[in-house]
Structures are given as C-alpha cells and as structure tokens.
Amino acid sequence: MIKVDLSGASSFFKGNGPDYAAVAEAHRTLAEGTGKGNDFIGWLTLPQTIAAGELKQIVACAKKIRARSQALLVVGIGGSYLGARAAVDLLRPTMKEGDVDIIFVGNGLSPDAMMDTLHRLGDKDFDICVISKSGTTLEPALAFRMYKGLLVSKYGAAEAGKRITAVTDAHRGVLHDMAVKEGWEMFVVPDDVGGRFSVLSAVGLLPMAVAGIDVEKVIACAIDEFKAMDLRSPENPAWQYAAARQHLYRNGKSIEILASYEPSFRFFAEWWKQLYGESEGKDGIGIYPASVEFTADLHSMGQYIQDGPRFLYETVVMFEEDINHFEVPHEVGDPDGLNYLAGRQLGDIMRTAAAAVKQAHIDGGVPNITISVPKRDEAGFAALVVFFELACGLSGYVSGVNPFDQPGVEAYKKNMFRMLGKPGAK
Ligand code: PA5
C-alpha cells in the first residue's frame, strides 16, 4: 500500500548507506517488547483491540451525536486531538449538507480563539467530546469547564449530561471521576498507549465517526497494514524510511521537512510533527520535524529549501490517484498564454510540478524521500498512520532514545502552575 522511493536520497548516502541491521534489531526489540518504554507499545495491537472491544459502541455513539447535533466540540490537546483533526481535515476537507461541524477546542489558551468558536457555534445544537488521558491538562480542562457551562445553560443539567462524552483513563484522573459521578458516556485511552499513538483508539475514532468517516474501514485497513508491515526485511517501507532518515541524520541532515501537495494534509503533518518530535527529540539528539505545503510554500520557504544551509532533507507524501479531476480549458486567442496546457488535467500538472521541484531540490543538495499512497481515503489514512507510527518506533530505537516518553513536556507546566498559584505547585 505505501511505497517509499529513496532514489532521490541515495546519492547523499555515505559509506555502506542506511543501516538495515540496526533497524532489524529495533524491530525485533519492539515486537518482543524488550526495549525502552515497553509499557507504552499497546498501539502495535490497538486496531485488533478496538475491533474486538469498543468499536461498535463508538459507531453507535457517533450515530446518536449525528442525529441530535449540528456541531461537536472536541476538547483536547496534543495527542488527544491532532490525530482526529488530521483525519477530519484529510478525509472531509469541506462539509456537505447534513454534516456535523467538528470544532477542535481546548488546544490553546487564547480568549480570541474562544470568541471565534462561539461565533462559529452560533445557536447550533451541539455535543461535547472531552478527551484527556490524564484528565488534568490545563488547556482542555479549562475549555471543558467553560463550554460545559454553555451546554448546561442551553439544555439544563440533565440533557447536558447526555450530550457529554468523555475519553479518558480507564481507572483514574479527575475527568474519569467526573464522568463516573455524572454518568457521562465514557470511552477509554488504553493504559499502554501514549497520546501521540492513540489516533486509532476512541481518541481519534469518535470525532472521525461523527464527521462521517467510515472508522470500521479505517480499523480493518489498519489491521491489514500492521500485518503487512511486520515484514522483517529491507523491503518493508517502514524499515526503508526509518533507516534512511537515521542515516541522513548521522550525516548532518538534522531537519526533516514533511511536504505534501494537498492542502488537506496540513494537520496530518501537524500530527506527524508531534509523533516524531515528542518521540525522538530528547537526550540532546533528534531530527527536527518541520512541514511545508506545496506548491504554496515554494513561494515562501522555497528559497530557503533550495539555497539555505544544507542541513535539510525532505519527505514528500504523494497520493497516486486524484479524487477530483479538472481539465484546463482552451481559450480562443490564448490571452494568458496558457493554451499550451489546454486539455491537460490539473492533477497531472501538479505531478509534473512535483517532479520538477524534486529534481531542483536534489540538485540544490536536499535529499528527497518520496512516500506514495494510492488514494486520499480511509485506507490511505490508515496506511499512513500505521507506516509512520511503526517507522517512528523503529527510528527512535535506532537512535537510542525511549520513543514512548515525553519528560520534556513537564518543564513548562511546572513553571506555569507555580506562576498561576496552583495549590501545592513548586
Ligand atoms: O502525546 C502525548 O502524550 C501528549 O501530547 C498528550 O496527548 C497531551 O499532552 C494531552 O494530554 P492529556 O491527554 O493527558 O490531556
């Protein structure tokens, strides 16, 4: 399903090139659960677990929400929102008649953003889906308190309680305790799955299902992908990507730019940045994950990529098949000089531009990894998620870090809670 093309990177490889033996060892360690952070590798079997467990209940809950609400406020931050946002933007970039407006909130502290949300919400009927594994993260907790107040004032306490769904820890935490006490519908973030690896749990699936995405298909495809990517060979696309990026990093390429020609891919790139940034940026090492949107950013970041310091490489995600087709019309007199393109498909022009950009960047000293996916649909999304998650685990182990913790995220929280005067904060 996923193809990795390293031909645009191979001329930059040094010595024996990517170290597949190290990736093979990393795969063995990951699969046997003997590596660092091995209490957080439940994502490897998450699609099977969810298919055998909560999936039907998630679909049923989404159906209820779709029937009674025109908007869903999804409250969450980091791994508790980026996967769902990536999926909704990628697979449902525009709303159709009857779709539920999925509004992501609680991922910042801006009062102006809150006002924008209130305007967007207007007098629509709405539900709230609050997602927090710990249940204590300040941004979503504050947003939840405020939007819950709005829900209660609109519907009264009893009806509001029926319109709240919590996705949180199975056993503990403030959100868990509130949900149990109030009787809200509840789904679980498994103990052994960290936030950034949780998109194939209720964390990602419930908002996706409310958006009208076929989550049963996503999960069925993810199960197949995990099987396919268990291949222990340099033919495995996840091996190729993990080995190439670690090799490039060790040879001075410390920034990876993820690029796509699809504007709807923007939040998938945000999800990817969290996945790789939080997993690998620690102990003083790690590739810095950045992203650009082509062709738009060729007119802004293009200069730097082509001509700036040579510590970059780019990974370009291409969808092989377009969903929509537009042909360039012929115009009598050729006033804008574009008749040489008349009759050509816009998608073909985009792919020609991509080939031209690839060659220019390679010539400019930027290695290119190209990842191809058949289509921008449920199967394509599942394949990308599984591929990037597995490659992340492999790449992290090859680099020597624990890819499944995030100790650095605590530093700002400690300062913030002390400065805000939280009881007990030092
Ligand atoms: O990947 C992670 O663990 C983080 O990004 C968390 O998802 C994020 O900090 C939100 O945490 P929580 O779900 O506990 O509110």
Side-chain angles (χ1 to χ4, degrees):
M1 162 71 79
I2 296 268
K3 282 185 243 150
V4 173
D5 177 3
L6 297 180
S7 62
S10 52
S11 62
F12 298 88
F13 292 160
K14 304 264 188 323
N16 293 330
D19 184 355
Y20 284 105
V23 178
E25 177 58 17
H27 204 156
R28 194 185 58 73
T29 307
L30 186 63
E32 291 175 4
T34 51
K36 291 178 187 167
N38 58 1
D39 45 345
F40 278 98
I41 54 171
W43 53 273
L44 283 166
T45 48
L46 189 52
Q48 284 104 311
T49 314
I50 205 92
E54 285 181 329
L55 188 56
K56 291 242 165 332
Q57 203 188 329
I58 291 170
V59 172
C61 177
K63 202 170 161 201
K64 275 190 288 179
I65 295 173
R66 283 172 68 81
R68 69 182 168 225
S69 281
Q70 294 139 2
L72 175 69
L73 295 185
V74 180
V75 187
I77 196 165
S80 287
Y81 106 99
L82 283 167
R85 178 131 196 209
V88 173
D89 279 23
L90 189 71
L91 303 179
R92 203 200 69 177
T94 51
M95 280 174 63
K96 293 190 297 296
E97 183 78 28
D99 276 346
V100 177
D101 191 7
I102 311 291
I103 310 177
F104 293 94
V105 297
N107 48 64
L109 292 166
S110 159
D112 291 348
M114 185 160 224
M115 182 52 86
D116 288 341
T117 298
L118 293 175
H119 285 311
R120 181 167 161 186
L121 194 57
D123 62 359
K124 286 181 192 132
D125 279 312
F126 73 102
D127 267 60
I128 297 178
C129 173
V130 54
I131 308 175
S132 177
K133 183 169 181 179
S134 63
T136 56
T137 310
L138 184 67
E139 294 91 332
L142 267 180
F144 182 50
R145 176 185 278 214
M146 291 157 105
Y147 289 112
K148 178 163 55 78
L150 189 67
L151 196 71
V152 171
S153 65
K154 186 171 169 109
Y155 296 104
E159 172 64 15
K162 291 183 194 150
R163 288 175 174 266
I164 295 173
T165 309
V167 184
T168 189
D169 190 276
H171 313 287
R172 63 192 85 81
V174 180
L175 182 58
H176 167 272
D177 296 348
M178 283 164 79
V180 171
K181 182 162 174 270
E182 302 294 336
W184 301 329
E185 181 147 16
M186 196 160 75
F187 294 96
V188 160
V189 191
D191 283 348
D192 55 358
V193 177
R196 61 188 172 277
F197 287 89
S198 67
V199 58
L200 299 178
S201 74
V203 172
L205 298 174
L206 182 60
M208 284 158 71
V210 177
I213 294 167
D214 184 345
V215 294
E216 287 171 311
K217 189 161 183 198
V218 168
I219 289 299
C221 294
I223 290 172
D224 291 345
E225 286 298 331
F226 267 116
K227 275 188 205 138
M229 289 206 195
D230 196 36
L231 177 71
R232 308 297 170 92
S233 138
E235 301 294 301
N236 184 331
W239 280 37
Q240 292 165 353
Y241 178 56
R245 60 197 301 285
Q246 283 301 323
H247 180 74
L248 292 168
Y249 178 62
R250 280 165 199 197
N251 288 288
K253 304 293 185 189
S254 53
I255 297 180
E256 177 175 6
I257 307 174
L258 189 74
S260 167
Y261 286 77
E262 292 298 339
S264 61
F265 191 78
R266 180 172 157 217
F267 266 88
F268 195 97
E270 296 300 321
W271 171 83
W272 170 89
K273 282 195 271 192
Q274 188 206 3
L275 184 67
Y276 281 81
E278 255 185 20
S279 299
E280 293 191 323
K282 53 193 67 159
D283 307 339
I285 60 166
I287 299 163
Y288 184 84
S291 64
V292 286
E293 183 188 311
F294 289 163
T295 62
D297 287 340
L298 292 169
H299 299 262
S300 54
M301 296 306 290
Q303 170 63 38
Y304 191 105
I305 298 170
Q306 187 68 45
D307 222 9
R310 301 298 72 189
F311 48 34
L312 315 166
Y313 66 97
E314 66 183 6
T315 299
V316 183
V317 174
M318 298 295 297
F319 295 92
E320 287 162 7
E321 201 184 313
D322 292 324
I323 295 172
N324 299 291
H325 302 273
F326 293 97
E327 191 179 293
V328 179
H330 183 273
E331 204 169 311
V332 177
D334 199 12
D336 48 12
L338 291 176
N339 272 355
Y340 76 101
L341 293 173
R344 291 191 60 178
Q345 290 291 324
L346 193 55
D348 295 339
I349 296 172
M350 178 180 81
R351 284 183 187 79
T352 306
V357 172
K358 179 174 175 174
Q359 194 53 59
H361 288 179
I362 294 168
D363 293 345
V366 180
N368 175 290
I369 300 173
T370 299
I371 293 169
S372 318
V373 196
K375 208 169 169 187
R376 194 165 52 82
D377 58 6
E378 277 86 351
F381 176 78
L384 281 169
V385 165
V386 171
F387 164 77
F388 278 123
E389 285 186 349
L390 179 61
C392 182
L394 300 178
S395 178
Y397 275 167
V398 170
S399 80
V401 300
N402 173 357
F404 309 118
D405 67 359
Q406 54 284 329
V409 179
E410 293 311 310
Y412 97 89
K413 290 187 191 167
K414 216 172 142 198
N415 287 346
M416 178 179 70
F417 285 132
R418 189 187 64 247
M419 290 158 89
L420 286 171
K422 182 178 179 180
K426 287 191 229 112

